[in-house]
Amino acid sequence: MKIGPRTGEMENHVQHLWTREINGVQFRFHHIKASRLGRPYMTVWRWDTAELVRCSCPRPDCPFA
């Protein structure tokens, strides 16, 4: 398993970005620890197709929640 670098703080929320290889496929993880939506959440994207595969955001209209 390979884990890429993480980024630090941004203006008024904290987020971490990293990539991980799972079964030969690169995935990009985006974890938002302090969001404007009120609670932390994370999204996972496939690196090669840019397809969103998982999202845990608190928005009621999110189709990936």
Side-chain angles (χ1 to χ4, degrees):
M1 174 173 24
K2 300 173 192 169
I3 299 175
R6 293 184 175 199
T7 62
E9 296 183 11
M10 293 187 67
E11 189 173 312
N12 60 356
H13 64 283
V14 179
Q15 65 181 349
H16 297 285
L17 300 167
W18 69 96
T19 57
R20 181 173 291 164
E21 186 176 320
I22 303 170
N23 294 330
V25 179
Q26 290 278 341
F27 288 91
R28 183 161 178 89
F29 293 80
H30 186 187
H31 182 223
I32 297 156
K33 295 175 95 173
S35 73
R36 295 180 194 92
L37 295 174
R39 71 171 208 229
Y41 67 94
M42 187 168 81
T43 57
V44 181
W45 301 81
R46 271 188 72 134
W47 186 262
D48 55 351
T49 63
E51 174 189 0
L52 180 64
V53 293
R54 179 172 290 169
C55 179
S56 63
C57 81
R59 291 178 48 175
D61 60 342
C62 179
F64 299 99

